Amino acid sequence: MRKLLISILPAVIGVALLPGCASKSQQASAVDWDHGAKHGWVVARYAPGASGSALPPCLASLPETEYVKHRYAKLRYRQGHHTHDVVAELPPGLPLNDGQPVELWPADCAAGQLAHISRILAATAQAND
């Protein structure tokens, strides 16, 4: 009996690990990792009436008319064990809520650059991250 258990143990472990592998591969295909995209989520939106001192550098440097015409949000993504925050313009006409997962292309706000949101991801994608 013991020999039987030892012989089938690797197969049982392999079957138990398959669902985890499948969910990661689905998530990996959802984001264009190879070209620099990241899996992130909306953390907060910047209010149009915020003062320049409360804004990150890439928004504080915008002319007020430009800042008011668009919607901007703080996004967060993980890279290894670290989290990074970026600022992006929200796509027009798409309702994005805090916590909404997105595919994003990071940029350096301190250098005056805005990240880009290329698409909204399914809400289940973040749970697998």
Side-chain angles (χ1 to χ4, degrees):
M1 180 72 169
R2 185 176 174 172
K3 277 187 166 182
L4 177 65
L5 287 175
I6 291 173
S7 67
I8 65 168
L9 186 59
V12 171
I13 291 172
V15 169
L17 294 176
L18 281 176
C21 294
S23 64
K24 277 295 188 189
S25 66
Q26 288 172 346
Q27 179 184 343
S29 66
V31 175
D32 190 2
W33 301 107
D34 294 337
H35 294 103
K38 305 292 181 195
H39 176 257
W41 59 96
V42 178
V43 176
R45 283 165 281 164
Y46 293 101
S51 69
S53 62
L55 296 174
C58 52
L59 295 182
S61 64
L62 288 176
E64 189 173 334
T65 56
E66 190 67 23
Y67 176 66
V68 174
K69 284 195 309 188
H70 303 281
R71 301 177 310 143
Y72 299 95
K74 178 180 183 178
L75 307 173
R76 185 167 288 154
Y77 68 95
R78 284 188 214 130
Q79 188 165 1
H81 295 289
H82 303 283
T83 58
H84 301 277
D85 292 339
V86 293
V87 177
E89 180 182 351
L90 296 174
L94 289 178
L96 286 174
N97 300 316
D98 291 356
Q100 180 77 46
V102 295
E103 177 182 60
L104 68 96
W105 300 82
D108 184 7
C109 181
Q113 302 168 342
L114 292 172
H116 172 70
I117 298 172
S118 51
R119 60 193 171 113
I120 298 172
L121 300 173
T124 55
Q126 186 175 353
N128 294 331
D129 192 13

